Amino acid sequence: MTKSALITGVTGQDGSYLAELLLKKGYQVHGLVRRCSSFTTGRIDHLYRDVHENPQLQLHYGDLTDGQSLTNLVQEIEPDEIYNLGAQSHVRVSFDQPVYTLMTDGVGALNVLEAAKLLNKRKHVRVYQASSSEMFGAVEHSPQDEATPFRPQSPYACAKVYAYYQTINYRQSYDLFATNGILFNHESPRRGETFVTRKITRAATRIKVGMQEKLYLGNLDARRDWGYAKDYVEAMCLMLQQDKPDDFVIATGVTHSIRRFLELAFGQLDLSWEEHVEIDPRYYRPSEVHHLCGDSSKAKEQLGWTAKTDLSELVRIMIEHDLYIAEKEKKERTR
């Protein structure tokens, strides 16, 4: 029997890779898409353009903050699995839009759980909640695992902590198969261009082809545990195939500074990052998380999952992709 899945945030980095994975596994995939005046399906166009020949992917307009329409959709399509990846996911932006971030990331997750609870009364459904390493915040020890206390340092992290505990609450109170994936930073060529890693690879490649001179960044000493998003969505899927729901840290276990990411990215292009990068105080956060490093031993033991892609390989993948884009942009500009 064909399994079905609903993915919120299907047009995002993780949603697009997860949709690809589930389609390859033979799932019927439903994606939740926010209605806006411009098309936002760029990351899944290669999956969706042939929808009439391959009706395994269906998109539905909706919003996580509209609980009733979300419940109606879940009742209509009756998915076997729900992956809640939709969010306002930019930490710096969350300081500027704290209420919107809470409503989308916190209350939105609660709406998903409530919809799943109602469906679960007549059909068993499994829920994945996208939690974040930012919840650990001002950590007192490293690496961080499932037992590490949360000390959130941003409105985004606070909203994710709320969603994390609501997921556990619904699991315990309503016997709902609900699991949290505490994913550390994960990047790819599909990462949004306002996020620091993609901002770096886009700028470095544009500098290489002569279309940009400078890159402006904030704190270069912040350290993160960076993995490849394509690897991480495999862990999401594995979590919902277990006999019992649980919570898992997903990480590489290796931490690097933004400065190191710059060295690797510009080095791929035989450029010196020091000649092109300038510090701009506007990019500092009001409250900074300085060091995050995850311990995914539990995921390795129970899920059989480990990160496959190290930082050097990840940077190479992103640079090759963005260099192609930069060269294409230059050709179009010089026509």
Side-chain angles (χ1 to χ4, degrees):
M1 183 176 177
T2 301
K3 282 187 176 182
S4 63
L6 170 63
I7 304 173
T8 72
V10 70
T11 59
Q13 170 188 252
D14 293 4
S16 64
Y17 281 122
L18 180 61
E20 280 182 351
L21 177 64
L22 296 181
L23 287 170
K24 288 178 182 178
K25 291 179 177 292
Y27 277 65
Q28 172 72 47
V29 176
H30 297 269
L32 189 70
V33 181
R34 284 181 299 173
R35 177 70 178 89
C36 62
S37 59
S38 59
F39 291 109
T40 60
T41 58
R43 294 184 181 94
I44 59 171
D45 279 348
H46 64 295
L47 301 175
Y48 193 62
R49 66 170 61 98
D50 298 322
V51 67
H52 298 295
E53 298 176 12
N54 178 20
Q56 281 182 277
L57 175 62
Q58 296 183 27
L59 302 184
H60 308 267
Y61 286 121
D63 194 293
L64 287 172
T65 62
D66 186 348
Q68 187 58 59
S69 67
L70 185 61
T71 295
N72 292 343
L73 177 61
V74 169
Q75 294 291 316
E76 177 188 345
I77 65 178
E78 296 187 338
D80 298 294
E81 300 171 2
I82 300 175
Y83 295 86
N84 184 32
L85 311 184
Q88 189 300 98
S89 57
H90 200 288
V91 176
R92 180 62 188 84
V93 170
S94 76
F95 286 99
D96 300 323
Q97 296 185 297
V99 176
Y100 173 72
T101 301
L102 174 61
M103 292 301 296
T104 304
D105 300 10
V107 177
L110 181 60
N111 287 337
V112 170
L113 291 165
E114 187 65 14
K117 182 192 78 172
L118 294 174
L119 176 60
N120 207 49
K121 293 178 180 179
R122 70 173 190 272
K123 176 186 176 178
H124 185 63
V125 61
R126 299 183 172 209
V127 179
Y128 171 86
Q129 168 59 28
S131 293
S132 169
S133 61
E134 288 288 331
M135 299 188 304
F136 293 121
V139 295
E140 295 181 344
H141 65 84
S142 283
Q144 296 86 51
D145 60 18
E146 293 80 6
T148 302
F150 298 139
R151 299 180 64 193
Q153 298 289 292
S154 67
Y156 168 78
C158 291
K160 283 294 186 178
V161 170
Y162 174 88
Y164 173 90
Y165 282 116
Q166 286 288 13
T167 300
I168 294 176
N169 178 39
Y170 272 66
R171 183 167 74 212
Q172 296 174 343
S173 301
Y174 304 112
D175 195 29
L176 179 67
F177 192 111
T179 183
N180 286 290
I182 309 173
L183 273 58
F184 279 63
N185 293 65
H186 46 290
E187 320 298 320
S188 77
R190 299 181 191 175
R191 187 62 142 151
E193 294 183 18
T194 59
F195 291 85
V196 67
T197 53
R198 188 78 195 288
K199 185 177 179 180
I200 290 170
T201 58
R202 282 288 281 139
T205 52
R206 286 173 61 84
I207 290 169
K208 180 67 176 180
V209 301
M211 293 185 66
Q212 186 171 330
E213 287 294 328
K214 294 291 183 179
L215 167 61
Y216 297 92
L217 296 174
N219 180 17
L220 303 188
D221 296 316
R223 301 182 67 87
R224 294 292 184 269
D225 182 330
W226 279 301
Y228 185 21
K230 196 170 184 178
D231 294 344
Y232 283 36
V233 299
E234 295 178 4
M236 298 178 188
C237 185
L238 286 169
M239 289 181 209
L240 295 197
Q241 314 313 312
Q242 304 305 301
D243 293 334
K244 295 180 180 180
D246 206 344
D247 307 315
F248 296 90
V249 164
I250 302 299
T252 69
V254 181
T255 182
H256 299 277
S257 67
I258 293 174
R259 196 181 304 274
R260 176 57 177 160
F261 197 101
L262 281 167
E263 292 172 354
L264 290 172
F266 279 77
Q268 282 277 333
L269 302 165
D270 295 320
L271 295 172
S272 171
W273 70 267
E274 291 95 337
E275 296 178 7
H276 301 281
V277 175
E278 293 188 9
I279 302 302
D280 187 333
R282 292 178 301 171
Y283 294 114
Y284 280 89
R285 301 173 183 175
S287 179
E288 183 65 71
V289 175
H290 296 285
H291 184 277
L292 292 173
C293 182
D295 178 358
S296 56
S297 300
K298 182 178 175 180
K300 181 178 181 180
E301 179 182 344
Q302 297 187 26
L303 305 179
W305 182 91
T306 55
K308 302 173 185 175
T309 310
D310 64 17
L311 185 64
S312 296
E313 176 65 9
L314 172 60
V315 171
R316 184 194 65 77
I317 292 169
M318 294 176 68
I319 286 291
E320 286 186 358
H321 175 272
D322 286 344
L323 183 59
Y324 171 80
I325 293 178
E327 290 172 341
K328 185 178 179 180
E329 287 175 339
K330 185 175 183 179
K331 286 180 182 178
E332 291 176 349
R333 180 175 292 187
T334 56
R335 283 180 181 176

